[in-house]
């Protein structure tokens, strides 16, 4: 027969503690019993049973011997059995008293503290549970009785709370306090009835522990009750409404301090309420879901109302403020995952697809035009939160492309084109860095290479790529012109030089201008105009510094375009010409050194054959003849052709205000020298005596009589020059400077000259396309029409991008010249003809 064993301490042999103990047979003995005997709990030395007696080990009492005694209990002792019958009612009364609600007018008590007198002390109640569960094996009876009491208490609590006729937030406060009180009492009972868990509930995995039993009862009777759910939802909605009214500055509070105070108190309540919900595991269903639902409902109405009435900037500012408020509120009361759910709902409700789509273009356009980088940054942050960056990027590209196109196509402000484009580019760089958190593209090849080597450079540079696309398409609105104007802008910068700027600032500004050059497809146009400007600067000695010019050429070749090679050849020609002139002057020791000439190669310099005429003064003609004779002795097979349109002369002129040095062109000098012996000449006289062509004569007279430095007087006055007009030397001319430069219209680029340059570019392009097609066909032997077009465009992309129509024309031209032929069966297939 199995029975619990009580191991007692060693007692002296003279002790009579158990000398009269007589075991009593159990009622559940094997003598025909229907169930096996119960096992009595084994108690250790710290057990609380009165039948366990402990003495100190290892010590001897006088005259006694040490013994070990084992006592087997097979049933409840008679005195304990009698007591069990009264323990259960006493236990139930104690539990009921602990779970009783405080009197309506009593002071609030802390959770776990009794609010009324108890029939038994906590210790007595604990001992009763221990005896009933552990010793008397009445765990099921205790479990059932306690269950009934908890159900009764929960019903009383919810009845008390639900019966209170108070508004939503106030009811939520009362409900939270009641649930906190109930949780405190359950926690107290859990400690007192600990043996109910350890001695009974834990032995059956399917049986709930005391706390889980209580929570299950609360869930079924409170949180799954329709009225409770409705009241909880109403309280949450009212709190959220008050919070957002406070945030929106539309509450009835009289001061900002009152608003903040009310909000803070309510948040403390919500924190308590959320803690109560976490206990029963109903936070998601009873707070978060209703709160998100009301958030969506609230902001849907506001988005509908304000999205139409506010400007894009004002609406986005409102959204930004609301989201910041939601974040602060959620941060005070929720954990990170729940906070993200609430903010996600608010973001997508305030910024749905239809609103982000409708606000992107007008909102970005206004912010860009008004240079409001902060508003662009706000747009980026908000659109990023709702995953709408594709729409914002499209608006960004469209607006930038529109701005560039408007600048490029404004022919009335061509002179300002580059400076306006620079303004847009510098704004773009700031927006990319400060608002869109991307790095702008580098200007030079080296800068771009560094970015390409950076593994993170292309990962998040979608706006930068869109910006490049916008500039390139904007430039296409007026092909060739942007490249031309960029070259002319650089020409003016090189004429000025660094001046008072430090070297770093000069190169930085130059790189910004050349950065625009990267956006044009017409690289050959830029090279043509830049090289022409360089040639004029060198020949007319208008460059700030030859050393600076060489550095810029090297920078263009190494950092931007490897095709910039002619510049270095020009410098070689200049150096050779200076050596040749020094040698000429050394051979003519008896001559003065006022004459100078530059000998240049036609293939290096961007000027055609000189077709003008001029009647030079005798002394000039003699100098030219002398130099030609010297040159022919050195280079018998070379022929010199003089280009007088680029010649310069320094004249000494006498005015009433004194003597002045006039720096003029050779054409201007020839005309002015006609007034050495004459005070007045007609247009016809000047035309015949100067030997100039009519067009050059008119331009020269306009520069001398109608410009800023009017050393000639025209009669009658007017901008146009007629055959009967007369010109007088202006002896009354005044200027504070002694050395005066009078610009020559011929040496400035005219509209007609620009057209000639464009025609030359067209001819060069035709030859370049022909060469590219022949080279491609020679390597491939045969190609389909579309493949040939694609390969031609790719081959020429570094110089310019030919149109498909231009390629078709050149293919037909080469077919006529029999460089290639069509396939007899497939007319879209070409064969190379060796």
């Amino acid at each position: 027969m199995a029975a619990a064993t009580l191991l007692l301490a060693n007692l002296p042999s003279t002790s009579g503690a158990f000398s009269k103990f007589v075991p009593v047979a159990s009622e559940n003995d094997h003598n025909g019993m229907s169930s096996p005997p119960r096992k009595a709990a084994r108690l250790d030395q710290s057990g609380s049973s009165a039948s366990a007696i402990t003495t100190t080990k290892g010590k001897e009492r006088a005259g006694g011997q040490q013994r070990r005694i084992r006592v087997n209990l097979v049933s409840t002792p008679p005195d304990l059995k009698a007591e069990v019958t009264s323990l259960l009612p006493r236990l139930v009364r104690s539990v009921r008293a602990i779970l009783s609600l405080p009197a309506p007018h009593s002071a609030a008590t802390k959770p776990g503290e009794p609010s009324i007198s108890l029939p038994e002390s906590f210790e007595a109640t604990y001992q009763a549970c221990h005896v009933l569960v552990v010793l008397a094996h009445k765990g099921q009876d205790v479990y059932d009785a306690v269950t009934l009491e908890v159900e009764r208490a929960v019903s009383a609590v919810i009845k008390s709370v639900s019966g209170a006729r108070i508004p939503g937030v106030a009811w939520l406060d009362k409900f939270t306090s009641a649930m906190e009180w109930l949780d405190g009492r359950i926690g107290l009972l859990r400690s007192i009835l600990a043996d109910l868990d350890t001695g009974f509930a834990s032995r059956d995995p399917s049986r709930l522990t005391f706390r889980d039993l209580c929570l299950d009862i609360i869930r079924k009777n409170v949180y799954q009750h329709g009225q409770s759910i409705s009241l909880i939802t109403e309280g949450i909605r009212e709190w959220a409404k008050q919070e957002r009214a406070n945030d929106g500055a539309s509450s009835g509070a009289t001061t900002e301090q009152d608003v903040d105070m009310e909000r803070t108190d309510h948040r403390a309540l919500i924190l308590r309420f959320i803690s109560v919900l976490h206990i029963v595991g109903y936070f998601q269903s009873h707070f978060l879901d209703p709160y998100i639902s009301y958030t969506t409902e609230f902001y849907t109405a506001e988005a509908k109302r304000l999205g139409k009435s506010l400007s894009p900037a004002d609406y986005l500012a409102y959204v930004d403020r609301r989201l910041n408020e939601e974040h602060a509120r959620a941060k005070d009361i929720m954990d990170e995952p729940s906070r993200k759910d609430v903010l996600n709902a608010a973001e997508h409700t305030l910024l749905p697809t239809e609103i982000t789509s409708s606000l992107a273009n007008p909102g970005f356009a206004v912010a860009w035009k008004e240079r409001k980088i902060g508003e662009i940054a706000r747009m980026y942050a908000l659109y990023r939160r709702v995953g709408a960056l594709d729409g914002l990027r499209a608006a960004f590209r469209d607006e930038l492309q529109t701005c560039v196109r408007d600048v490029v196509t404004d022919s009335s402000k061509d002179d300002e084109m580059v400076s306006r484009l620079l303004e847009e580019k510098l704004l773009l760089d700031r927006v990319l860095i400060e608002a869109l958190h991307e790095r702008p593209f580098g200007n030079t090849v080296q800068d771009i290479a560094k970015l390409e080597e950076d593994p993170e450079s292309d990962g998040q540079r979608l706006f930068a790529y869109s910006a490049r696309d916008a500039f390139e398409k904007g430039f296409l609105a007026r092909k060739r012109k942007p490249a031309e104007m960029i070259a002319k802008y650089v020409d003016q910068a090189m004429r000025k030089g660094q001046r008072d700027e430090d070297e770093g600032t000069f190169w930085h500004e130059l790189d910004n201008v050349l950065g625009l050059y990267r956006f044009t497809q017409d690289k050959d146009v830029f090279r043509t105009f830049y090289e022409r400007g360089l040639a004029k600067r060198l020949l007319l000695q208008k460059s700030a510094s030859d050393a600076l010019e060489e550095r810029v050429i090297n920078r263009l070749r190494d950092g931007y375009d490897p095709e910039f090679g002619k510049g270095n050849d020009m410098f070689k020609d200049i150096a050779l010409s200076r050596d040749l002139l020094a040698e000429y002057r050394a051979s003519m020791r008896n001559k003065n050194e006022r004459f100078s000439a530059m000998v240049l190669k036609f293939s290096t310099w961007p000027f055609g054959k000189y077709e003008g005429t001029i009647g030079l003064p005798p002394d000039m003609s003699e100098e030219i003849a002398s130099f030609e004779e010297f040159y022919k002795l050195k280079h018998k097979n070379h022929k010199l052709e003089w280009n007088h349109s680029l010649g310069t002369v320094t004249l000494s002129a006498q005015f009433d205000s004194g003597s002045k040095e006039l720096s003029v062109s050779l054409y201007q000098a020839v005309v002015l020298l006609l007034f050495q012996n004459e005070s007045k000449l007609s247009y016809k006289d000047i035309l015949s005596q100067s030997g100039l062509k009519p067009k050059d004569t008119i331009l020269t007279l306009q520069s001398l009589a109608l410009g800023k430095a009017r050393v000639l007087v025209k009669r009658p006055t007017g901008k146009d020059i007629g055959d009967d007009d007369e010109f007088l030397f202006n002896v009354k001319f005044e200027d504070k400077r002694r050395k005066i430069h009078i610009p020559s219209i011929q040496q400035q680029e005219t509209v007609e000259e620009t057209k000639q340059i464009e025609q030359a570019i067209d001819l060069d392009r035709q030859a370049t396309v022909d060469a590219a097609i022949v080279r491609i066909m020679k390597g491939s032997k045969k190609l389909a029409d579309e493949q040939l077009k694609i390969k031609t465009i790719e081959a020429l992309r570094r110089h310019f991008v030919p149109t498909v129509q231009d390629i078709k024309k050149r293919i037909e031209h080469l077919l006529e010249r029999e460089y290639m032929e069509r396939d007899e069966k497939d007319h879209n297939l070409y064969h190379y003809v060796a």
Side-chain angles (χ1 to χ4, degrees), residues 445 472 483 517-528 556-558 560-565 765 768-769 772 775 790-802:
V445 173
E472 289 176 352
Y517 160 66
R518 288 204 168 278
F519 298 130
T520 179
Q521 295 180 354
D522 304 307
K523 304 287 193 299
D524 58 334
V525 175
F526 176 84
R527 284 196 300 270
T528 300
L556 283 167
R557 184 186 63 245
D558 299 336
Y560 293 89
D561 189 344
E563 298 297 323
F564 273 96
R765 285 188 171 186
T768 303
V769 174
R775 187 166 56 251
I790 293 172
K791 285 180 176 289
T792 302
I793 291 174
E794 288 300 318
L796 299 175
R797 189 174 295 277
R798 289 191 309 168
H799 306 280
F800 63 96
V801 178

Short mmCIF file of all heavy atoms in Angstrom, two decimals, residues 445 472 483 517-528 556-558 560-565 765 768-769 772 775 790-802:
data_model
loop_
_atom_site.label_atom_id
_atom_site.label_comp_id
_atom_site.label_asym_id
_atom_site.label_seq_id
_atom_site.Cartn_x
_atom_site.Cartn_y
_atom_site.Cartn_z
N VAL A 445 35.27 64.30 -65.64
CA VAL A 445 35.34 62.84 -65.79
C VAL A 445 35.82 62.20 -64.50
O VAL A 445 35.33 61.15 -64.08
CB VAL A 445 36.26 62.47 -66.96
CG1 VAL A 445 36.48 60.98 -67.02
CG2 VAL A 445 35.68 62.98 -68.27
N GLU A 472 18.88 67.49 -70.13
CA GLU A 472 19.16 67.05 -71.50
C GLU A 472 17.96 67.27 -72.41
O GLU A 472 18.10 67.76 -73.53
CB GLU A 472 19.56 65.57 -71.49
CG GLU A 472 20.93 65.32 -70.88
CD GLU A 472 21.27 63.84 -70.81
OE1 GLU A 472 20.36 63.01 -71.10
OE2 GLU A 472 22.42 63.50 -70.46
N ALA A 483 24.72 74.85 -76.43
CA ALA A 483 26.15 74.60 -76.55
C ALA A 483 26.89 75.84 -77.03
O ALA A 483 27.98 76.18 -76.54
CB ALA A 483 26.39 73.43 -77.51
N TYR A 517 27.74 71.98 -69.91
CA TYR A 517 28.16 71.43 -71.20
C TYR A 517 27.89 69.93 -71.26
O TYR A 517 27.62 69.38 -72.35
CB TYR A 517 29.65 71.75 -71.39
CG TYR A 517 30.39 70.90 -72.38
CD1 TYR A 517 30.08 70.94 -73.73
CD2 TYR A 517 31.42 70.07 -71.96
CE1 TYR A 517 30.78 70.17 -74.64
CE2 TYR A 517 32.12 69.30 -72.86
CZ TYR A 517 31.80 69.35 -74.20
OH TYR A 517 32.48 68.59 -75.09
N ARG A 518 27.89 69.25 -70.11
CA ARG A 518 27.65 67.81 -70.09
C ARG A 518 26.21 67.46 -70.49
O ARG A 518 25.94 66.35 -70.92
CB ARG A 518 27.91 67.24 -68.70
CG ARG A 518 29.37 67.18 -68.36
CD ARG A 518 29.65 66.14 -67.30
NE ARG A 518 31.07 65.93 -67.21
CZ ARG A 518 31.78 65.15 -68.01
NH1 ARG A 518 31.16 64.51 -68.98
NH2 ARG A 518 33.06 65.01 -67.85
N PHE A 519 25.30 68.42 -70.34
CA PHE A 519 23.90 68.12 -70.63
C PHE A 519 23.56 68.26 -72.11
O PHE A 519 22.46 67.88 -72.52
CB PHE A 519 22.98 69.07 -69.82
CG PHE A 519 23.12 68.91 -68.34
CD1 PHE A 519 23.32 70.02 -67.53
CD2 PHE A 519 23.04 67.66 -67.75
CE1 PHE A 519 23.43 69.88 -66.16
CE2 PHE A 519 23.16 67.52 -66.37
CZ PHE A 519 23.36 68.63 -65.58
N THR A 520 24.45 68.84 -72.90
CA THR A 520 24.15 69.03 -74.31
C THR A 520 24.64 67.84 -75.13
O THR A 520 25.69 67.26 -74.85
CB THR A 520 24.78 70.32 -74.85
OG1 THR A 520 24.48 70.45 -76.23
CG2 THR A 520 26.29 70.33 -74.66
N GLN A 521 23.86 67.50 -76.13
CA GLN A 521 24.28 66.44 -77.05
C GLN A 521 25.18 66.98 -78.15
O GLN A 521 25.82 66.20 -78.85
CB GLN A 521 23.04 65.78 -77.68
CG GLN A 521 22.16 65.04 -76.68
CD GLN A 521 20.95 64.41 -77.33
OE1 GLN A 521 20.69 64.61 -78.52
NE2 GLN A 521 20.20 63.63 -76.56
N ASP A 522 25.21 68.31 -78.29
CA ASP A 522 25.97 68.93 -79.38
C ASP A 522 27.37 69.30 -78.92
O ASP A 522 27.75 70.48 -78.85
CB ASP A 522 25.22 70.17 -79.88
CG ASP A 522 23.80 69.83 -80.32
OD1 ASP A 522 23.65 68.92 -81.14
OD2 ASP A 522 22.85 70.46 -79.81
N LYS A 523 28.16 68.29 -78.61
CA LYS A 523 29.53 68.53 -78.14
C LYS A 523 30.36 69.20 -79.23
O LYS A 523 31.23 70.03 -78.94
CB LYS A 523 30.18 67.21 -77.73
CG LYS A 523 29.43 66.41 -76.67
CD LYS A 523 29.54 67.04 -75.32
CE LYS A 523 29.06 66.12 -74.19
NZ LYS A 523 27.65 65.73 -74.30
N ASP A 524 30.11 68.84 -80.49
CA ASP A 524 30.89 69.42 -81.57
C ASP A 524 30.61 70.92 -81.73
O ASP A 524 31.50 71.70 -82.10
CB ASP A 524 30.61 68.69 -82.88
CG ASP A 524 29.13 68.72 -83.26
OD1 ASP A 524 28.28 68.85 -82.36
OD2 ASP A 524 28.83 68.60 -84.47
N VAL A 525 29.38 71.32 -81.44
CA VAL A 525 29.03 72.75 -81.53
C VAL A 525 29.81 73.53 -80.48
O VAL A 525 30.38 74.59 -80.76
CB VAL A 525 27.51 72.95 -81.34
CG1 VAL A 525 27.17 74.44 -81.31
CG2 VAL A 525 26.75 72.24 -82.45
N PHE A 526 29.85 73.00 -79.26
CA PHE A 526 30.61 73.69 -78.21
C PHE A 526 32.08 73.79 -78.60
O PHE A 526 32.69 74.85 -78.45
CB PHE A 526 30.46 72.92 -76.89
CG PHE A 526 31.28 73.49 -75.77
CD1 PHE A 526 30.79 74.55 -75.00
CD2 PHE A 526 32.54 73.00 -75.48
CE1 PHE A 526 31.55 75.09 -73.98
CE2 PHE A 526 33.31 73.52 -74.46
CZ PHE A 526 32.81 74.57 -73.71
N ARG A 527 32.65 72.68 -79.08
CA ARG A 527 34.07 72.72 -79.46
C ARG A 527 34.32 73.76 -80.55
O ARG A 527 35.29 74.52 -80.50
CB ARG A 527 34.53 71.34 -79.95
CG ARG A 527 34.74 70.34 -78.85
CD ARG A 527 35.55 69.16 -79.37
NE ARG A 527 34.87 68.48 -80.47
CZ ARG A 527 34.02 67.47 -80.32
NH1 ARG A 527 33.72 67.04 -79.11
NH2 ARG A 527 33.46 66.89 -81.36
N THR A 528 33.44 73.82 -81.55
CA THR A 528 33.63 74.75 -82.66
C THR A 528 33.62 76.19 -82.19
O THR A 528 34.53 76.98 -82.51
CB THR A 528 32.54 74.54 -83.72
OG1 THR A 528 32.61 73.20 -84.21
CG2 THR A 528 32.72 75.51 -84.87
N LEU A 556 39.67 70.91 -70.14
CA LEU A 556 38.61 70.48 -71.04
C LEU A 556 38.91 69.12 -71.66
O LEU A 556 38.04 68.25 -71.75
CB LEU A 556 38.41 71.52 -72.15
CG LEU A 556 37.65 72.79 -71.77
CD1 LEU A 556 37.80 73.84 -72.86
CD2 LEU A 556 36.18 72.48 -71.53
N ARG A 557 40.15 68.93 -72.06
CA ARG A 557 40.53 67.67 -72.70
C ARG A 557 40.53 66.51 -71.70
O ARG A 557 40.01 65.42 -71.99
CB ARG A 557 41.91 67.81 -73.35
CG ARG A 557 42.33 66.56 -74.13
CD ARG A 557 43.75 66.66 -74.63
NE ARG A 557 44.70 66.75 -73.53
CZ ARG A 557 45.46 67.81 -73.30
NH1 ARG A 557 45.39 68.86 -74.09
NH2 ARG A 557 46.30 67.83 -72.28
N ASP A 558 41.10 66.73 -70.51
CA ASP A 558 41.24 65.64 -69.55
C ASP A 558 39.96 65.39 -68.74
O ASP A 558 39.69 64.26 -68.35
CB ASP A 558 42.39 65.95 -68.58
CG ASP A 558 43.72 66.08 -69.31
OD1 ASP A 558 43.84 65.53 -70.41
OD2 ASP A 558 44.62 66.77 -68.77
N TYR A 560 36.66 66.70 -69.55
CA TYR A 560 35.35 66.80 -70.18
C TYR A 560 35.27 66.15 -71.56
O TYR A 560 34.32 65.44 -71.85
CB TYR A 560 34.94 68.28 -70.30
CG TYR A 560 34.69 68.94 -68.97
CD1 TYR A 560 35.74 69.56 -68.27
CD2 TYR A 560 33.44 68.92 -68.38
CE1 TYR A 560 35.51 70.15 -67.04
CE2 TYR A 560 33.21 69.51 -67.15
CZ TYR A 560 34.25 70.12 -66.48
OH TYR A 560 34.03 70.69 -65.26
N ASP A 561 36.24 66.41 -72.41
CA ASP A 561 36.12 65.94 -73.78
C ASP A 561 37.52 65.73 -74.36
O ASP A 561 38.26 66.69 -74.55
CB ASP A 561 35.35 66.98 -74.62
CG ASP A 561 35.00 66.45 -76.00
OD1 ASP A 561 35.57 65.44 -76.40
OD2 ASP A 561 34.13 67.06 -76.65
N PRO A 562 37.89 64.49 -74.65
CA PRO A 562 39.24 64.23 -75.18
C PRO A 562 39.47 64.80 -76.58
O PRO A 562 40.61 64.80 -77.07
CB PRO A 562 39.31 62.69 -75.19
CG PRO A 562 37.89 62.23 -75.21
CD PRO A 562 37.12 63.26 -74.45
N GLU A 563 38.41 65.29 -77.23
CA GLU A 563 38.55 65.83 -78.58
C GLU A 563 39.14 67.23 -78.60
O GLU A 563 39.40 67.79 -79.66
CB GLU A 563 37.18 65.85 -79.27
CG GLU A 563 36.55 64.48 -79.44
CD GLU A 563 37.40 63.59 -80.35
OE1 GLU A 563 37.97 64.11 -81.32
OE2 GLU A 563 37.50 62.39 -80.05
N PHE A 564 39.31 67.84 -77.41
CA PHE A 564 39.89 69.18 -77.37
C PHE A 564 41.39 69.09 -77.60
O PHE A 564 42.19 69.09 -76.68
CB PHE A 564 39.61 69.85 -76.01
CG PHE A 564 38.30 70.57 -75.96
CD1 PHE A 564 37.18 69.95 -75.45
CD2 PHE A 564 38.19 71.87 -76.44
CE1 PHE A 564 35.96 70.62 -75.40
CE2 PHE A 564 36.98 72.53 -76.41
CZ PHE A 564 35.86 71.91 -75.89
N GLY A 565 41.79 69.04 -78.87
CA GLY A 565 43.21 68.93 -79.19
C GLY A 565 43.75 70.12 -79.95
O GLY A 565 44.94 70.40 -79.94
N ARG A 765 29.40 67.57 -89.92
CA ARG A 765 28.58 66.46 -89.42
C ARG A 765 28.29 65.45 -90.53
O ARG A 765 28.31 64.23 -90.29
CB ARG A 765 27.28 66.99 -88.83
CG ARG A 765 27.45 67.64 -87.47
CD ARG A 765 26.13 67.96 -86.82
NE ARG A 765 26.30 68.38 -85.44
CZ ARG A 765 25.31 68.63 -84.59
NH1 ARG A 765 24.05 68.50 -84.99
NH2 ARG A 765 25.55 69.00 -83.35
N THR A 768 31.28 63.43 -90.95
CA THR A 768 31.50 62.57 -89.79
C THR A 768 30.54 61.37 -89.81
O THR A 768 30.95 60.24 -89.52
CB THR A 768 31.29 63.36 -88.49
OG1 THR A 768 32.16 64.49 -88.48
CG2 THR A 768 31.58 62.50 -87.27
N VAL A 769 29.27 61.61 -90.17
CA VAL A 769 28.31 60.50 -90.26
C VAL A 769 28.72 59.54 -91.37
O VAL A 769 28.66 58.31 -91.19
CB VAL A 769 26.89 61.05 -90.51
CG1 VAL A 769 25.90 59.90 -90.75
CG2 VAL A 769 26.42 61.88 -89.31
N ALA A 772 31.54 57.41 -90.16
CA ALA A 772 31.11 56.44 -89.14
C ALA A 772 30.39 55.26 -89.80
O ALA A 772 30.63 54.10 -89.44
CB ALA A 772 30.21 57.12 -88.12
N ARG A 775 32.89 53.07 -91.64
CA ARG A 775 33.70 52.32 -90.69
C ARG A 775 32.91 51.14 -90.08
O ARG A 775 33.44 50.04 -89.93
CB ARG A 775 34.18 53.26 -89.59
CG ARG A 775 35.17 52.65 -88.63
CD ARG A 775 35.85 53.72 -87.79
NE ARG A 775 34.89 54.55 -87.08
CZ ARG A 775 34.64 55.82 -87.38
NH1 ARG A 775 35.26 56.41 -88.40
NH2 ARG A 775 33.75 56.52 -86.69
N ILE A 790 21.39 52.28 -85.16
CA ILE A 790 21.73 52.24 -83.74
C ILE A 790 23.24 52.35 -83.54
O ILE A 790 23.73 53.11 -82.70
CB ILE A 790 21.17 50.95 -83.09
CG1 ILE A 790 19.64 50.99 -83.09
CG2 ILE A 790 21.71 50.79 -81.67
CD1 ILE A 790 19.00 49.68 -82.66
N LYS A 791 23.98 51.58 -84.32
CA LYS A 791 25.45 51.60 -84.19
C LYS A 791 26.02 52.97 -84.55
O LYS A 791 26.99 53.44 -83.95
CB LYS A 791 26.07 50.52 -85.08
CG LYS A 791 25.91 49.11 -84.54
CD LYS A 791 26.55 48.10 -85.49
CE LYS A 791 26.49 46.70 -84.91
NZ LYS A 791 27.41 46.54 -83.77
N THR A 792 25.41 53.65 -85.53
CA THR A 792 25.89 54.98 -85.93
C THR A 792 25.67 55.99 -84.81
O THR A 792 26.55 56.80 -84.50
CB THR A 792 25.17 55.43 -87.20
OG1 THR A 792 25.39 54.47 -88.24
CG2 THR A 792 25.68 56.79 -87.65
N ILE A 793 24.50 55.95 -84.22
CA ILE A 793 24.20 56.87 -83.11
C ILE A 793 25.17 56.64 -81.96
O ILE A 793 25.71 57.59 -81.37
CB ILE A 793 22.74 56.71 -82.66
CG1 ILE A 793 21.79 57.22 -83.75
CG2 ILE A 793 22.50 57.47 -81.35
CD1 ILE A 793 20.32 56.95 -83.45
N GLU A 794 25.41 55.38 -81.61
CA GLU A 794 26.33 55.07 -80.51
C GLU A 794 27.75 55.52 -80.83
O GLU A 794 28.47 56.01 -79.95
CB GLU A 794 26.31 53.56 -80.22
CG GLU A 794 25.04 53.08 -79.56
CD GLU A 794 24.80 53.76 -78.23
OE1 GLU A 794 25.77 53.94 -77.47
OE2 GLU A 794 23.64 54.12 -77.95
N ALA A 795 28.15 55.37 -82.07
CA ALA A 795 29.52 55.74 -82.45
C ALA A 795 29.74 57.24 -82.39
O ALA A 795 30.87 57.71 -82.14
CB ALA A 795 29.83 55.22 -83.85
N LEU A 796 28.69 58.03 -82.62
CA LEU A 796 28.84 59.48 -82.69
C LEU A 796 28.38 60.20 -81.43
O LEU A 796 28.42 61.44 -81.38
CB LEU A 796 28.05 60.02 -83.89
CG LEU A 796 28.49 59.51 -85.27
CD1 LEU A 796 27.56 60.02 -86.34
CD2 LEU A 796 29.93 59.92 -85.56
N ARG A 797 27.94 59.46 -80.43
CA ARG A 797 27.34 60.09 -79.25
C ARG A 797 28.30 61.04 -78.55
O ARG A 797 27.88 62.03 -77.95
CB ARG A 797 26.87 59.00 -78.27
CG ARG A 797 26.05 59.53 -77.12
CD ARG A 797 25.51 58.39 -76.28
NE ARG A 797 24.57 57.58 -77.02
CZ ARG A 797 23.27 57.89 -77.17
NH1 ARG A 797 22.80 59.02 -76.65
NH2 ARG A 797 22.47 57.11 -77.84
N ARG A 798 29.59 60.77 -78.59
CA ARG A 798 30.55 61.66 -77.93
C ARG A 798 30.63 63.03 -78.60
O ARG A 798 31.06 64.00 -77.99
CB ARG A 798 31.94 61.04 -77.92
CG ARG A 798 32.09 59.85 -76.97
CD ARG A 798 33.54 59.49 -76.82
NE ARG A 798 34.19 59.32 -78.12
CZ ARG A 798 35.50 59.22 -78.29
NH1 ARG A 798 36.30 59.31 -77.24
NH2 ARG A 798 36.01 59.07 -79.49
N HIS A 799 30.25 63.09 -79.87
CA HIS A 799 30.35 64.35 -80.61
C HIS A 799 28.99 65.04 -80.72
O HIS A 799 28.84 66.21 -80.40
CB HIS A 799 30.90 64.09 -82.01
CG HIS A 799 32.19 63.33 -82.01
ND1 HIS A 799 33.40 63.94 -81.78
CD2 HIS A 799 32.48 62.02 -82.20
CE1 HIS A 799 34.37 63.05 -81.84
NE2 HIS A 799 33.84 61.86 -82.09
N PHE A 800 28.01 64.29 -81.19
CA PHE A 800 26.65 64.79 -81.32
C PHE A 800 25.74 63.57 -81.54
O PHE A 800 26.23 62.46 -81.78
CB PHE A 800 26.52 65.78 -82.48
CG PHE A 800 26.81 65.19 -83.84
CD1 PHE A 800 25.78 64.73 -84.66
CD2 PHE A 800 28.12 65.08 -84.30
CE1 PHE A 800 26.06 64.17 -85.90
CE2 PHE A 800 28.40 64.52 -85.54
CZ PHE A 800 27.36 64.06 -86.35
N VAL A 801 24.45 63.77 -81.45
CA VAL A 801 23.50 62.68 -81.67
C VAL A 801 22.74 62.97 -82.95
O VAL A 801 21.85 63.83 -82.98
CB VAL A 801 22.52 62.55 -80.48
CG1 VAL A 801 21.51 61.44 -80.74
CG2 VAL A 801 23.28 62.28 -79.19
N PRO A 802 23.07 62.28 -84.02
CA PRO A 802 22.38 62.53 -85.29
C PRO A 802 20.94 62.02 -85.23
O PRO A 802 20.64 61.06 -84.53
CB PRO A 802 23.21 61.74 -86.30
CG PRO A 802 23.81 60.63 -85.50
CD PRO A 802 24.07 61.20 -84.14
#
